[in-house]
Amino acid sequence: MRSSTDRVAELFGTDEVRSLLATCLPGYEAYAFSELARAARDRLADTPAHSVGILARELRRAGLAIHHARDTGQHAREDPAQLVAFTRIGCDWWARTVDHDGPGLVQAHLIDPCEQLLCAGNTGERDDGYAALRGLATRLGSHSGFVSRWTLHIDDGA
């Protein structure tokens, strides 16, 4: 089985996302995706590229969510459309409360790919997409519509 770090790179480390992260971190272009995301999360807070740091934080959190779900034998449930809808509505709400485009980047580069995975027939892909969205939903859990079964207790260091 691939590690969750490798899986996150596979699922979310598109050329576009890598370029977005690397553009904000000169000298990190050749780093592995997980290290690039970690550096972006750690170094871009309170900078003009803060929104990219937010995306990196949520990508790292997605990896932790996937790892936790795999480790504890958790699988996608029968409510993926409800979970996707909640995370989209939660990100829309989040976007109205901040002055950066982090939530928009999270929608485009985390929620959209997860939604595609949830439509796939492969159980492993569905499980990974569902787990990543549960990690995001847990962060957005104070927003109305959150369902407690989506909670994932993960320590993301953020």
Side-chain angles (χ1 to χ4, degrees):
M1 177 186 299
R2 292 180 304 262
S3 75
S4 54
T5 301
D6 293 341
R7 187 68 174 137
V8 169
E10 194 176 282
L11 297 176
F12 308 112
T14 63
D15 290 342
E16 182 181 0
V17 172
R18 263 195 88 71
S19 175
L20 187 61
L21 297 174
T23 298
C24 296
L25 293 167
Y28 282 81
E29 297 86 353
Y31 279 59
F33 184 77
S34 61
E35 292 305 312
L36 184 58
R38 182 189 334 260
R41 179 199 67 192
D42 294 346
R43 296 173 187 260
L44 298 179
D46 302 320
T47 71
H50 180 66
S51 58
V52 175
I54 296 294
L55 172 61
R57 181 189 72 199
E58 296 308 324
L59 291 173
R60 301 264 316 142
R61 186 171 175 80
L64 293 169
I66 290 169
H67 178 76
H68 177 76
R70 286 178 175 187
D71 229 23
T72 57
Q74 298 179 40
H75 301 282
R77 293 187 177 225
E78 296 305 317
D79 62 351
Q82 184 183 4
L83 179 57
V84 169
F86 173 78
T87 56
R88 286 195 186 285
I89 290 166
C91 270
D92 288 343
W93 166 80
W94 179 20
R96 291 189 303 274
T97 67
V98 296
D99 64 352
H100 56 75
D101 193 33
L105 293 174
V106 169
Q107 284 219 40
H109 300 294
L110 181 75
I111 297 174
D112 289 353
C114 285
E115 184 174 28
Q116 291 173 353
L117 291 171
L118 288 167
C119 292
N122 180 310
T123 301
E125 289 183 349
R126 287 179 48 84
D127 289 348
D128 289 348
Y130 193 85
L133 287 181
R134 283 180 64 202
L136 179 59
T138 300
R139 182 174 296 287
L140 298 169
S142 63
H143 187 66
S144 66
F146 180 74
V147 178
S148 63
R149 71 177 170 269
W150 294 333
T151 302
L152 268 181
H153 298 288
I154 53 177
D155 179 12
D156 63 356

